[in-house]
Amino acid sequence: MTAAAAIRPNSLDAAAARARCLKFRRRILDMSQRVSALHIGSAYSCTEIVDLIYYGLMRRKADGSFLDTFLMSKGHGCMIQYAILEDLGILSRADMDAYCTPGGRLGVHPDHGNPGIVAATGSLGHGLSMVVGMALSEKANKTGGNIYTVLSDGEVQEGSTWEAVLMASSLKCDNVVAFLDYNNFQSLGKTSDTHPTFYPLVEKFTAFGWESVEVAGHDSAALFDAVTQRKGGKPLMVVARTTKGKGVSYMENVPIWHYRSPNRQEYEQAVKELEAMVRS
Amino acid sequence: MRNTFSEALYQAATKNPRVYIVVADISPAGSMGKFSAQYPERFINVGVAEQSMIGICAGLALKGNRPFAYTIATFSLYRPFEMVRDDLCYQNLPVTVVGMGAGVIYSTLGGTHHTQEDIAIAGAIPNMQILAPCDPLECTDATSWCAERSQGPTYLRIGKAGEPVLTKDAAEPFEFGKVRYLRRGTDVCILSYGVIMKKAAELADRLQAEGKSVSLVSVHTVKPLDRLGIAEALKRHRKVVVIEEHAPQGGLAPQTKQIAWDIKATCQLHTFTLQDAFIHNYGSHDDLLAAHGIATDRIHAAIG
């Protein structure tokens, strides 16, 4: 078998993705009952995106390790990453149980050194430059590895993000695939109210030398197609239209759910709604 | 010093394919041209984008490389400070942030180009190491150490051009984490680091001409500071003089005073630092240092 043949290609089973995303949202919801805050809305916003990256896009080498790399630039959305890493057996049940406890190693933001976490994020506007550095290393070493990342739309207000956007295209990082979790919300309110002139988005990235496309961000197939059918030769920015708190009616687009945990009654309602979301 | 830095880095890059340099629109002095011509994939110019310079270095290091971020000190440390703290120091990555032309070397360029507080700022961050070589030869040693041996982030504070060689006949070799005696004496000990060592050497020459026995010490590793070495210097000399091109707070002078208190030192201790002030003087480096109160005549007179 050649090395190339040993690498698992990109693939998507949409029904399996829906089932996983339900499972992950449920897992995060369960975790929410242990702590007062965990950025649940931010994690639900990018659930399908991060699921696709791990299960549909990141290729594995013959030894089972990932050829490609994922860096969660919007670190506050990392509950979905934790849930997936647990599902993959990279984080343990004990790790999850000890989330935000004195003896645990998982906090509200991803920490460098934890299993499956390549970089410490949480302060916005750091991730994309690190992605560019990793992409350059992969190219210099001819590994063929791609670097995937998820940015928040609030994060794109950081000047440092635009330095990195410029850098990725100038340095010809065609092995960078970024998703913009375009949920139009940040802590204080609507992103489009904070910066009305920020739109349209796709044109901004194409003007900076990226390939960019806007798709429905909770549609795994649309996200998959955006990546696998790209023209290539440039870094790719998938602007993913999402809903903050997706799947739970009272969380959707309500800023307080950027951060807080549901109470017991809210929890039970959320469980019902998530189940219904998958059946619909 | 920047020329010896770039030559040392070129040599390190020749030996190790994991050595990268990420520069921010700085003129390619010395061997930098040779580096970029021979190793173009490892010479990255980000332009005027210093936050990205540090982030890219972090990403390279996360993939197992040993990058150097290189530009004028204020732009390599101050402008991207949070990236230095989070991306490099919090993650404890072997990245060297080179602060070129540190202190008030860029005298005519004004305060926007001065780093009077860099030791205090870099030194306050956990995991950060600080090296400040005093002449071109020591700069070569320090650069090689960063490229080959460092296990974490380092702020490498260097000069610019024209520094005299002071360590050719040094009493001791360069060793990371240890004070280095350039001359050994018994009466007076002068502790300094960086390019201002030239003034310390002038003072030592003058004291020796007066018949005093003088130690001249390069405290090139400012963090982690060789507390035992400083304590020994305080115990073994009747008079200790600290000269540093840095603000009065957070540098070598206050730390030496702390050590002196801790060991109940009985020697005289004189410290000469930059003032806690922005001084609008557009003369030479020496002129600006003198405006801050650092001039050989003045120090000589003050220490009696």
Side-chain angles (χ1 to χ4, degrees), chain A residues 69 111-112 118-120 123 126 129-130 133-134 137-138 140-141 160 163 167, chain B residues 18 20 44 46 49 51-52 55-56 59-60 62-63 65 82 86-87 90-91:
Chain A
T69 304
D111 222 347
H112 175 60
V118 302
S123 180
H126 289 240
S129 282
M130 288 195 275
M134 291 196 284
S137 182
E138 299 294 66
N141 291 303
S160 56
E163 286 188 13
M167 222 57 66
Chain B
R18 293 284 183 178
Y20 283 67
I44 298 156
V46 298
Q51 297 176 90
S52 190
I56 287 173
L60 288 165
L62 286 165
K63 287 289 182 185
N65 301 298
E82 200 205 28
D86 291 4
D87 302 354
Y90 185 49
Q91 303 191 107

PDB file of all heavy atoms in Angstrom, chain A residues 69 111-112 118-120 123 126 129-130 133-134 137-138 140-141 160 163 167, chain B residues 18 20 44 46 49 51-52 55-56 59-60 62-63 65 82 86-87 90-91:
ATOM      1  N   THR A  69      -4.308  19.014  10.879  1.00  0.00           N
ATOM      2  CA  THR A  69      -4.285  19.617  12.212  1.00  0.00           C
ATOM      3  C   THR A  69      -5.513  20.509  12.380  1.00  0.00           C
ATOM      4  O   THR A  69      -5.918  21.175  11.426  1.00  0.00           O
ATOM      5  CB  THR A  69      -3.012  20.484  12.366  1.00  0.00           C
ATOM      6  OG1 THR A  69      -1.877  19.666  12.102  1.00  0.00           O
ATOM      7  CG2 THR A  69      -2.901  21.073  13.774  1.00  0.00           C
ATOM      8  N   ASP A 111      -6.379  24.404  26.388  1.00  0.00           N
ATOM      9  CA  ASP A 111      -5.053  24.629  26.956  1.00  0.00           C
ATOM     10  C   ASP A 111      -4.014  23.780  26.239  1.00  0.00           C
ATOM     11  O   ASP A 111      -4.188  22.567  26.101  1.00  0.00           O
ATOM     12  CB  ASP A 111      -5.078  24.268  28.448  1.00  0.00           C
ATOM     13  CG  ASP A 111      -4.311  25.271  29.279  1.00  0.00           C
ATOM     14  OD1 ASP A 111      -3.574  26.080  28.692  1.00  0.00           O
ATOM     15  OD2 ASP A 111      -4.461  25.237  30.511  1.00  0.00           O
ATOM     16  N   HIS A 112      -2.943  24.415  25.820  1.00  0.00           N
ATOM     17  CA  HIS A 112      -1.841  23.711  25.161  1.00  0.00           C
ATOM     18  C   HIS A 112      -1.292  22.636  26.103  1.00  0.00           C
ATOM     19  O   HIS A 112      -1.072  22.897  27.286  1.00  0.00           O
ATOM     20  CB  HIS A 112      -0.741  24.704  24.820  1.00  0.00           C
ATOM     21  CG  HIS A 112       0.486  24.090  24.246  1.00  0.00           C
ATOM     22  ND1 HIS A 112       0.470  23.364  23.083  1.00  0.00           N
ATOM     23  CD2 HIS A 112       1.761  24.079  24.669  1.00  0.00           C
ATOM     24  CE1 HIS A 112       1.697  22.947  22.811  1.00  0.00           C
ATOM     25  NE2 HIS A 112       2.500  23.364  23.765  1.00  0.00           N
ATOM     26  N   VAL A 118      -4.005  21.514  20.208  1.00  0.00           N
ATOM     27  CA  VAL A 118      -2.690  21.886  19.666  1.00  0.00           C
ATOM     28  C   VAL A 118      -2.215  23.245  20.156  1.00  0.00           C
ATOM     29  O   VAL A 118      -1.023  23.531  20.112  1.00  0.00           O
ATOM     30  CB  VAL A 118      -2.651  21.854  18.120  1.00  0.00           C
ATOM     31  CG1 VAL A 118      -3.009  20.474  17.604  1.00  0.00           C
ATOM     32  CG2 VAL A 118      -3.532  22.922  17.508  1.00  0.00           C
ATOM     33  N   ALA A 119      -3.139  24.108  20.582  1.00  0.00           N
ATOM     34  CA  ALA A 119      -2.701  25.442  21.000  1.00  0.00           C
ATOM     35  C   ALA A 119      -3.657  25.999  22.043  1.00  0.00           C
ATOM     36  O   ALA A 119      -4.844  25.685  22.046  1.00  0.00           O
ATOM     37  CB  ALA A 119      -2.635  26.401  19.808  1.00  0.00           C
ATOM     38  N   ALA A 120      -3.117  26.832  22.904  1.00  0.00           N
ATOM     39  CA  ALA A 120      -3.939  27.521  23.906  1.00  0.00           C
ATOM     40  C   ALA A 120      -4.585  28.732  23.242  1.00  0.00           C
ATOM     41  O   ALA A 120      -3.897  29.605  22.730  1.00  0.00           O
ATOM     42  CB  ALA A 120      -3.073  27.966  25.077  1.00  0.00           C
ATOM     43  N   SER A 123      -7.991  33.998  24.074  1.00  0.00           N
ATOM     44  CA  SER A 123      -7.851  35.393  23.689  1.00  0.00           C
ATOM     45  C   SER A 123      -8.017  35.435  22.180  1.00  0.00           C
ATOM     46  O   SER A 123      -7.321  34.718  21.448  1.00  0.00           O
ATOM     47  CB  SER A 123      -6.473  35.917  24.104  1.00  0.00           C
ATOM     48  OG  SER A 123      -6.353  37.267  23.718  1.00  0.00           O
ATOM     49  N   HIS A 126      -5.652  35.341  17.989  1.00  0.00           N
ATOM     50  CA  HIS A 126      -4.342  34.675  18.038  1.00  0.00           C
ATOM     51  C   HIS A 126      -4.271  33.479  17.090  1.00  0.00           C
ATOM     52  O   HIS A 126      -3.204  33.123  16.615  1.00  0.00           O
ATOM     53  CB  HIS A 126      -4.041  34.174  19.455  1.00  0.00           C
ATOM     54  CG  HIS A 126      -3.753  35.263  20.433  1.00  0.00           C
ATOM     55  ND1 HIS A 126      -2.563  35.367  21.109  1.00  0.00           N
ATOM     56  CD2 HIS A 126      -4.502  36.302  20.850  1.00  0.00           C
ATOM     57  CE1 HIS A 126      -2.598  36.424  21.905  1.00  0.00           C
ATOM     58  NE2 HIS A 126      -3.772  37.003  21.766  1.00  0.00           N
ATOM     59  N   SER A 129      -2.846  33.376  13.068  1.00  0.00           N
ATOM     60  CA  SER A 129      -1.400  33.493  12.844  1.00  0.00           C
ATOM     61  C   SER A 129      -0.689  32.190  13.200  1.00  0.00           C
ATOM     62  O   SER A 129       0.243  31.773  12.507  1.00  0.00           O
ATOM     63  CB  SER A 129      -0.805  34.647  13.657  1.00  0.00           C
ATOM     64  OG  SER A 129      -1.069  35.880  13.031  1.00  0.00           O
ATOM     65  N   MET A 130      -1.127  31.549  14.264  1.00  0.00           N
ATOM     66  CA  MET A 130      -0.513  30.253  14.608  1.00  0.00           C
ATOM     67  C   MET A 130      -0.811  29.230  13.514  1.00  0.00           C
ATOM     68  O   MET A 130       0.042  28.406  13.165  1.00  0.00           O
ATOM     69  CB  MET A 130      -1.013  29.778  15.978  1.00  0.00           C
ATOM     70  CG  MET A 130      -0.449  30.590  17.131  1.00  0.00           C
ATOM     71  SD  MET A 130      -0.656  29.823  18.754  1.00  0.00           S
ATOM     72  CE  MET A 130      -2.299  30.372  19.193  1.00  0.00           C
ATOM     73  N   GLY A 133       1.628  29.800  10.749  1.00  0.00           N
ATOM     74  CA  GLY A 133       2.941  29.246  11.095  1.00  0.00           C
ATOM     75  C   GLY A 133       2.971  27.732  10.932  1.00  0.00           C
ATOM     76  O   GLY A 133       3.927  27.168  10.389  1.00  0.00           O
ATOM     77  N   MET A 134       1.919  27.076  11.379  1.00  0.00           N
ATOM     78  CA  MET A 134       1.861  25.610  11.238  1.00  0.00           C
ATOM     79  C   MET A 134       1.768  25.218   9.767  1.00  0.00           C
ATOM     80  O   MET A 134       2.399  24.247   9.333  1.00  0.00           O
ATOM     81  CB  MET A 134       0.672  25.062  12.034  1.00  0.00           C
ATOM     82  CG  MET A 134       0.877  25.195  13.531  1.00  0.00           C
ATOM     83  SD  MET A 134      -0.257  24.187  14.515  1.00  0.00           S
ATOM     84  CE  MET A 134      -1.716  25.131  14.359  1.00  0.00           C
ATOM     85  N   SER A 137       5.137  25.420   8.130  1.00  0.00           N
ATOM     86  CA  SER A 137       5.974  24.281   8.520  1.00  0.00           C
ATOM     87  C   SER A 137       5.589  23.038   7.720  1.00  0.00           C
ATOM     88  O   SER A 137       6.465  22.299   7.242  1.00  0.00           O
ATOM     89  CB  SER A 137       5.843  24.025  10.021  1.00  0.00           C
ATOM     90  OG  SER A 137       6.678  22.960  10.419  1.00  0.00           O
ATOM     91  N   GLU A 138       4.303  22.795   7.568  1.00  0.00           N
ATOM     92  CA  GLU A 138       3.853  21.620   6.818  1.00  0.00           C
ATOM     93  C   GLU A 138       4.310  21.703   5.358  1.00  0.00           C
ATOM     94  O   GLU A 138       4.717  20.707   4.771  1.00  0.00           O
ATOM     95  CB  GLU A 138       2.326  21.491   6.870  1.00  0.00           C
ATOM     96  CG  GLU A 138       1.744  21.307   8.270  1.00  0.00           C
ATOM     97  CD  GLU A 138       2.130  20.004   8.940  1.00  0.00           C
ATOM     98  OE1 GLU A 138       3.326  19.822   9.231  1.00  0.00           O
ATOM     99  OE2 GLU A 138       1.244  19.175   9.185  1.00  0.00           O
ATOM    100  N   ALA A 140       6.944  23.489   4.212  1.00  0.00           N
ATOM    101  CA  ALA A 140       8.410  23.372   4.136  1.00  0.00           C
ATOM    102  C   ALA A 140       8.838  21.916   4.264  1.00  0.00           C
ATOM    103  O   ALA A 140       9.799  21.485   3.634  1.00  0.00           O
ATOM    104  CB  ALA A 140       9.059  24.221   5.222  1.00  0.00           C
ATOM    105  N   ASN A 141       8.112  21.168   5.086  1.00  0.00           N
ATOM    106  CA  ASN A 141       8.469  19.761   5.293  1.00  0.00           C
ATOM    107  C   ASN A 141       7.737  18.807   4.356  1.00  0.00           C
ATOM    108  O   ASN A 141       7.876  17.585   4.484  1.00  0.00           O
ATOM    109  CB  ASN A 141       8.218  19.376   6.755  1.00  0.00           C
ATOM    110  CG  ASN A 141       9.193  20.077   7.686  1.00  0.00           C
ATOM    111  OD1 ASN A 141      10.400  19.942   7.541  1.00  0.00           O
ATOM    112  ND2 ASN A 141       8.682  20.869   8.609  1.00  0.00           N
ATOM    113  N   SER A 160      -5.384  41.798  14.526  1.00  0.00           N
ATOM    114  CA  SER A 160      -4.409  40.713  14.350  1.00  0.00           C
ATOM    115  C   SER A 160      -4.952  39.626  13.432  1.00  0.00           C
ATOM    116  O   SER A 160      -4.191  38.966  12.724  1.00  0.00           O
ATOM    117  CB  SER A 160      -4.030  40.114  15.702  1.00  0.00           C
ATOM    118  OG  SER A 160      -5.180  39.661  16.388  1.00  0.00           O
ATOM    119  N   GLU A 163      -4.153  40.786  10.004  1.00  0.00           N
ATOM    120  CA  GLU A 163      -2.735  40.561   9.688  1.00  0.00           C
ATOM    121  C   GLU A 163      -2.558  39.128   9.180  1.00  0.00           C
ATOM    122  O   GLU A 163      -1.886  38.870   8.185  1.00  0.00           O
ATOM    123  CB  GLU A 163      -1.850  40.752  10.933  1.00  0.00           C
ATOM    124  CG  GLU A 163      -1.647  42.187  11.361  1.00  0.00           C
ATOM    125  CD  GLU A 163      -0.601  42.318  12.468  1.00  0.00           C
ATOM    126  OE1 GLU A 163       0.129  41.344  12.737  1.00  0.00           O
ATOM    127  OE2 GLU A 163      -0.511  43.408  13.060  1.00  0.00           O
ATOM    128  N   MET A 167      -1.448  37.524   5.659  1.00  0.00           N
ATOM    129  CA  MET A 167      -0.255  36.680   5.649  1.00  0.00           C
ATOM    130  C   MET A 167      -0.523  35.342   4.972  1.00  0.00           C
ATOM    131  O   MET A 167       0.296  34.851   4.208  1.00  0.00           O
ATOM    132  CB  MET A 167       0.179  36.442   7.095  1.00  0.00           C
ATOM    133  CG  MET A 167       1.646  36.535   7.317  1.00  0.00           C
ATOM    134  SD  MET A 167       2.286  38.110   6.798  1.00  0.00           S
ATOM    135  CE  MET A 167       1.496  39.199   7.950  1.00  0.00           C
TER     136      MET A 167
ATOM    137  N   ARG B  18      15.461  23.092  11.313  1.00  0.00           N
ATOM    138  CA  ARG B  18      14.301  23.551  12.072  1.00  0.00           C
ATOM    139  C   ARG B  18      14.424  25.023  12.491  1.00  0.00           C
ATOM    140  O   ARG B  18      13.535  25.550  13.148  1.00  0.00           O
ATOM    141  CB  ARG B  18      14.131  22.677  13.328  1.00  0.00           C
ATOM    142  CG  ARG B  18      13.755  21.233  13.019  1.00  0.00           C
ATOM    143  CD  ARG B  18      12.297  21.147  12.641  1.00  0.00           C
ATOM    144  NE  ARG B  18      11.856  19.778  12.398  1.00  0.00           N
ATOM    145  CZ  ARG B  18      10.598  19.470  12.084  1.00  0.00           C
ATOM    146  NH1 ARG B  18       9.695  20.414  11.959  1.00  0.00           N
ATOM    147  NH2 ARG B  18      10.258  18.234  11.862  1.00  0.00           N
ATOM    148  N   TYR B  20      14.190  28.793  11.891  1.00  0.00           N
ATOM    149  CA  TYR B  20      13.503  29.741  11.006  1.00  0.00           C
ATOM    150  C   TYR B  20      13.771  31.157  11.513  1.00  0.00           C
ATOM    151  O   TYR B  20      14.033  31.355  12.703  1.00  0.00           O
ATOM    152  CB  TYR B  20      11.976  29.543  11.047  1.00  0.00           C
ATOM    153  CG  TYR B  20      11.441  28.366  10.272  1.00  0.00           C
ATOM    154  CD1 TYR B  20      11.719  27.049  10.652  1.00  0.00           C
ATOM    155  CD2 TYR B  20      10.606  28.566   9.173  1.00  0.00           C
ATOM    156  CE1 TYR B  20      11.197  25.978   9.952  1.00  0.00           C
ATOM    157  CE2 TYR B  20      10.071  27.489   8.460  1.00  0.00           C
ATOM    158  CZ  TYR B  20      10.370  26.198   8.854  1.00  0.00           C
ATOM    159  OH  TYR B  20       9.844  25.140   8.165  1.00  0.00           O
ATOM    160  N   ILE B  44      11.025  34.277   6.556  1.00  0.00           N
ATOM    161  CA  ILE B  44       9.667  34.769   6.338  1.00  0.00           C
ATOM    162  C   ILE B  44       9.609  36.246   6.720  1.00  0.00           C
ATOM    163  O   ILE B  44       9.933  36.609   7.859  1.00  0.00           O
ATOM    164  CB  ILE B  44       8.659  33.953   7.188  1.00  0.00           C
ATOM    165  CG1 ILE B  44       8.687  32.486   6.749  1.00  0.00           C
ATOM    166  CG2 ILE B  44       7.245  34.535   7.070  1.00  0.00           C
ATOM    167  CD1 ILE B  44       8.217  31.521   7.825  1.00  0.00           C
ATOM    168  N   VAL B  46       7.081  39.158   7.289  1.00  0.00           N
ATOM    169  CA  VAL B  46       5.649  39.410   7.433  1.00  0.00           C
ATOM    170  C   VAL B  46       5.285  40.841   7.060  1.00  0.00           C
ATOM    171  O   VAL B  46       4.108  41.191   7.023  1.00  0.00           O
ATOM    172  CB  VAL B  46       5.156  39.128   8.871  1.00  0.00           C
ATOM    173  CG1 VAL B  46       5.359  37.684   9.244  1.00  0.00           C
ATOM    174  CG2 VAL B  46       5.820  40.062   9.877  1.00  0.00           C
ATOM    175  N   ALA B  49       3.705  43.778  10.431  1.00  0.00           N
ATOM    176  CA  ALA B  49       2.612  43.003  11.038  1.00  0.00           C
ATOM    177  C   ALA B  49       3.197  42.166  12.171  1.00  0.00           C
ATOM    178  O   ALA B  49       3.335  40.950  12.067  1.00  0.00           O
ATOM    179  CB  ALA B  49       1.950  42.118   9.974  1.00  0.00           C
ATOM    180  N   GLN B  51       2.188  41.392  15.256  1.00  0.00           N
ATOM    181  CA  GLN B  51       1.378  40.409  15.985  1.00  0.00           C
ATOM    182  C   GLN B  51       1.417  39.079  15.238  1.00  0.00           C
ATOM    183  O   GLN B  51       1.548  38.009  15.829  1.00  0.00           O
ATOM    184  CB  GLN B  51      -0.060  40.895  16.125  1.00  0.00           C
ATOM    185  CG  GLN B  51      -0.186  42.173  16.927  1.00  0.00           C
ATOM    186  CD  GLN B  51      -1.621  42.670  16.951  1.00  0.00           C
ATOM    187  OE1 GLN B  51      -2.386  42.296  17.835  1.00  0.00           O
ATOM    188  NE2 GLN B  51      -1.995  43.479  15.998  1.00  0.00           N
ATOM    189  N   SER B  52       1.314  39.197  13.935  1.00  0.00           N
ATOM    190  CA  SER B  52       1.364  37.996  13.109  1.00  0.00           C
ATOM    191  C   SER B  52       2.759  37.356  13.153  1.00  0.00           C
ATOM    192  O   SER B  52       2.895  36.126  13.132  1.00  0.00           O
ATOM    193  CB  SER B  52       0.970  38.348  11.672  1.00  0.00           C
ATOM    194  OG  SER B  52       0.783  37.195  10.926  1.00  0.00           O
ATOM    195  N   GLY B  55       2.739  35.249  16.242  1.00  0.00           N
ATOM    196  CA  GLY B  55       1.826  34.119  16.091  1.00  0.00           C
ATOM    197  C   GLY B  55       2.370  33.075  15.129  1.00  0.00           C
ATOM    198  O   GLY B  55       2.263  31.864  15.371  1.00  0.00           O
ATOM    199  N   ILE B  56       2.960  33.530  14.039  1.00  0.00           N
ATOM    200  CA  ILE B  56       3.539  32.594  13.070  1.00  0.00           C
ATOM    201  C   ILE B  56       4.701  31.832  13.718  1.00  0.00           C
ATOM    202  O   ILE B  56       4.838  30.614  13.534  1.00  0.00           O
ATOM    203  CB  ILE B  56       3.972  33.343  11.786  1.00  0.00           C
ATOM    204  CG1 ILE B  56       2.727  33.744  10.982  1.00  0.00           C
ATOM    205  CG2 ILE B  56       4.922  32.503  10.935  1.00  0.00           C
ATOM    206  CD1 ILE B  56       3.002  34.637   9.783  1.00  0.00           C
ATOM    207  N   GLY B  59       3.203  29.151  15.792  1.00  0.00           N
ATOM    208  CA  GLY B  59       2.719  28.043  14.959  1.00  0.00           C
ATOM    209  C   GLY B  59       3.867  27.181  14.458  1.00  0.00           C
ATOM    210  O   GLY B  59       3.785  25.944  14.453  1.00  0.00           O
ATOM    211  N   LEU B  60       4.956  27.823  14.046  1.00  0.00           N
ATOM    212  CA  LEU B  60       6.140  27.067  13.607  1.00  0.00           C
ATOM    213  C   LEU B  60       6.679  26.220  14.759  1.00  0.00           C
ATOM    214  O   LEU B  60       7.020  25.044  14.576  1.00  0.00           O
ATOM    215  CB  LEU B  60       7.225  28.027  13.115  1.00  0.00           C
ATOM    216  CG  LEU B  60       6.962  28.708  11.763  1.00  0.00           C
ATOM    217  CD1 LEU B  60       7.908  29.887  11.562  1.00  0.00           C
ATOM    218  CD2 LEU B  60       7.109  27.704  10.612  1.00  0.00           C
ATOM    219  N   LEU B  62       5.041  25.142  17.349  1.00  0.00           N
ATOM    220  CA  LEU B  62       4.086  24.069  17.678  1.00  0.00           C
ATOM    221  C   LEU B  62       4.285  22.862  16.765  1.00  0.00           C
ATOM    222  O   LEU B  62       3.894  21.748  17.108  1.00  0.00           O
ATOM    223  CB  LEU B  62       2.645  24.583  17.565  1.00  0.00           C
ATOM    224  CG  LEU B  62       2.196  25.519  18.698  1.00  0.00           C
ATOM    225  CD1 LEU B  62       0.911  26.248  18.317  1.00  0.00           C
ATOM    226  CD2 LEU B  62       2.021  24.760  20.007  1.00  0.00           C
ATOM    227  N   LYS B  63       4.883  23.099  15.603  1.00  0.00           N
ATOM    228  CA  LYS B  63       5.204  21.999  14.692  1.00  0.00           C
ATOM    229  C   LYS B  63       6.648  21.537  14.848  1.00  0.00           C
ATOM    230  O   LYS B  63       7.187  20.856  13.969  1.00  0.00           O
ATOM    231  CB  LYS B  63       4.938  22.425  13.240  1.00  0.00           C
ATOM    232  CG  LYS B  63       3.445  22.514  12.894  1.00  0.00           C
ATOM    233  CD  LYS B  63       2.831  21.117  12.832  1.00  0.00           C
ATOM    234  CE  LYS B  63       1.369  21.139  12.442  1.00  0.00           C
ATOM    235  NZ  LYS B  63       0.755  19.800  12.503  1.00  0.00           N
ATOM    236  N   ASN B  65       9.558  23.420  15.312  1.00  0.00           N
ATOM    237  CA  ASN B  65      10.648  24.244  14.794  1.00  0.00           C
ATOM    238  C   ASN B  65      11.191  25.186  15.872  1.00  0.00           C
ATOM    239  O   ASN B  65      10.629  25.289  16.961  1.00  0.00           O
ATOM    240  CB  ASN B  65      10.159  25.041  13.585  1.00  0.00           C
ATOM    241  CG  ASN B  65       9.665  24.125  12.486  1.00  0.00           C
ATOM    242  OD1 ASN B  65      10.414  23.326  11.934  1.00  0.00           O
ATOM    243  ND2 ASN B  65       8.368  24.190  12.189  1.00  0.00           N
ATOM    244  N   GLU B  82       0.759  40.732  23.836  1.00  0.00           N
ATOM    245  CA  GLU B  82      -0.117  39.643  24.270  1.00  0.00           C
ATOM    246  C   GLU B  82       0.186  38.340  23.513  1.00  0.00           C
ATOM    247  O   GLU B  82       0.000  37.243  24.047  1.00  0.00           O
ATOM    248  CB  GLU B  82      -1.587  40.029  24.092  1.00  0.00           C
ATOM    249  CG  GLU B  82      -2.498  39.163  24.957  1.00  0.00           C
ATOM    250  CD  GLU B  82      -3.899  39.064  24.403  1.00  0.00           C
ATOM    251  OE1 GLU B  82      -4.069  39.181  23.175  1.00  0.00           O
ATOM    252  OE2 GLU B  82      -4.824  38.847  25.199  1.00  0.00           O
ATOM    253  N   ASP B  86       0.904  35.058  25.537  1.00  0.00           N
ATOM    254  CA  ASP B  86       0.020  33.892  25.414  1.00  0.00           C
ATOM    255  C   ASP B  86       0.601  32.817  24.495  1.00  0.00           C
ATOM    256  O   ASP B  86       0.628  31.640  24.842  1.00  0.00           O
ATOM    257  CB  ASP B  86      -1.349  34.309  24.852  1.00  0.00           C
ATOM    258  CG  ASP B  86      -2.141  35.155  25.834  1.00  0.00           C
ATOM    259  OD1 ASP B  86      -1.625  35.483  26.909  1.00  0.00           O
ATOM    260  OD2 ASP B  86      -3.289  35.508  25.493  1.00  0.00           O
ATOM    261  N   ASP B  87       1.000  33.253  23.300  1.00  0.00           N
ATOM    262  CA  ASP B  87       1.398  32.269  22.286  1.00  0.00           C
ATOM    263  C   ASP B  87       2.752  31.644  22.623  1.00  0.00           C
ATOM    264  O   ASP B  87       2.953  30.447  22.420  1.00  0.00           O
ATOM    265  CB  ASP B  87       1.469  32.907  20.897  1.00  0.00           C
ATOM    266  CG  ASP B  87       0.143  33.534  20.463  1.00  0.00           C
ATOM    267  OD1 ASP B  87      -0.854  33.388  21.181  1.00  0.00           O
ATOM    268  OD2 ASP B  87       0.123  34.193  19.403  1.00  0.00           O
ATOM    269  N   TYR B  90       2.994  31.407  27.598  1.00  0.00           N
ATOM    270  CA  TYR B  90       2.000  30.507  28.202  1.00  0.00           C
ATOM    271  C   TYR B  90       2.161  29.087  27.658  1.00  0.00           C
ATOM    272  O   TYR B  90       2.024  28.108  28.394  1.00  0.00           O
ATOM    273  CB  TYR B  90       0.587  31.049  27.934  1.00  0.00           C
ATOM    274  CG  TYR B  90      -0.522  30.267  28.605  1.00  0.00           C
ATOM    275  CD1 TYR B  90      -0.453  29.949  29.956  1.00  0.00           C
ATOM    276  CD2 TYR B  90      -1.639  29.854  27.887  1.00  0.00           C
ATOM    277  CE1 TYR B  90      -1.464  29.226  30.574  1.00  0.00           C
ATOM    278  CE2 TYR B  90      -2.658  29.138  28.493  1.00  0.00           C
ATOM    279  CZ  TYR B  90      -2.566  28.827  29.837  1.00  0.00           C
ATOM    280  OH  TYR B  90      -3.571  28.112  30.444  1.00  0.00           O
ATOM    281  N   GLN B  91       2.472  29.013  26.373  1.00  0.00           N
ATOM    282  CA  GLN B  91       2.648  27.678  25.776  1.00  0.00           C
ATOM    283  C   GLN B  91       4.091  27.172  25.919  1.00  0.00           C
ATOM    284  O   GLN B  91       4.396  26.058  25.491  1.00  0.00           O
ATOM    285  CB  GLN B  91       2.231  27.698  24.302  1.00  0.00           C
ATOM    286  CG  GLN B  91       0.787  28.173  24.129  1.00  0.00           C
ATOM    287  CD  GLN B  91       0.241  27.964  22.724  1.00  0.00           C
ATOM    288  OE1 GLN B  91      -0.580  27.090  22.507  1.00  0.00           O
ATOM    289  NE2 GLN B  91       0.689  28.732  21.764  1.00  0.00           N
TER     290      GLN B  91
END
